[in-house]
Amino acid sequence: TAVFIGGRDIGLAIDMLAAAKRAMVPPFEVSVLADPSGAFTTAAALVACVEKELAAKHGKTFKDCKAVVFGGTGAVGITTGVIASLAGLDVAIVDHLSLETANEIAAAYNRRFGCHMRGAFAGSDAEKAALIADVDIIFCTAKAGVQVLNAGVLKAAKNLKVAADVNAVPP
């Protein structure tokens, strides 16, 4: 027997997980896990694969690199940013509508988890190209079916070592 916490709000899921654990009365305990919108499992796998490829292909660790997370204000993007930041990566979470939103979300999760993300904005191809010009890693975590970066924009990423996309849209 286990309690599974889903939903879409990762902060609420974490709060519910903590409340459920506190409510257990030994020896009447069960496993409790949370994975809102599949964000935790998706982000953990994404970050692990990128970390592995970075080491294998470039001999680098996260502590040596900068990254951007497109779709960074969604559940998978926030989780990716938190995990990667806690693993030592310099991370910016990107919102396509508002720098203010990206900064607010980064600040809230930095306080909550002790990580060090920053917000960024890119609404056009030119802004995306400028944002990726000096990064080592690009995470694309936007909604399925949304093309975040095209081949022309990717040419601007002169330091790119690993690009990872979990929304399954070319390039």
Side-chain angles (χ1 to χ4, degrees), residues 64-151:
D64 304 322
C65 297
K66 279 179 65 173
V68 294
V69 182
F70 287 98
T73 56
V76 175
I78 294 167
T79 307
T80 297
V82 168
I83 294 170
S85 175
L86 290 172
L89 189 57
D90 178 356
V91 179
I93 58 171
V94 183
D95 188 76
H96 71 286
L97 297 175
S98 164
L99 177 59
E100 183 179 344
T101 298
N103 282 330
E104 287 173 2
I105 290 172
Y109 283 91
N110 287 344
R111 281 189 303 273
R112 183 177 196 115
F113 295 109
C115 55
H116 303 284
M117 300 184 296
R118 66 187 178 289
F121 166 77
S124 68
D125 283 350
E127 290 165 334
K128 291 174 187 176
L131 200 57
I132 66 171
D134 68 341
V135 301
D136 303 284
I137 299 166
I138 299 171
F139 295 101
C140 290
T141 64
K143 292 179 183 176
V146 175
Q147 183 181 40
V148 177
L149 302 173
N150 60 48

Side-chain angles (χ1 to χ4, degrees), residues 9 14 16 44 49 86 157 159:
D9 184 323
I14 291 290
M16 292 172 67
C49 287
L86 290 172
N159 293 330

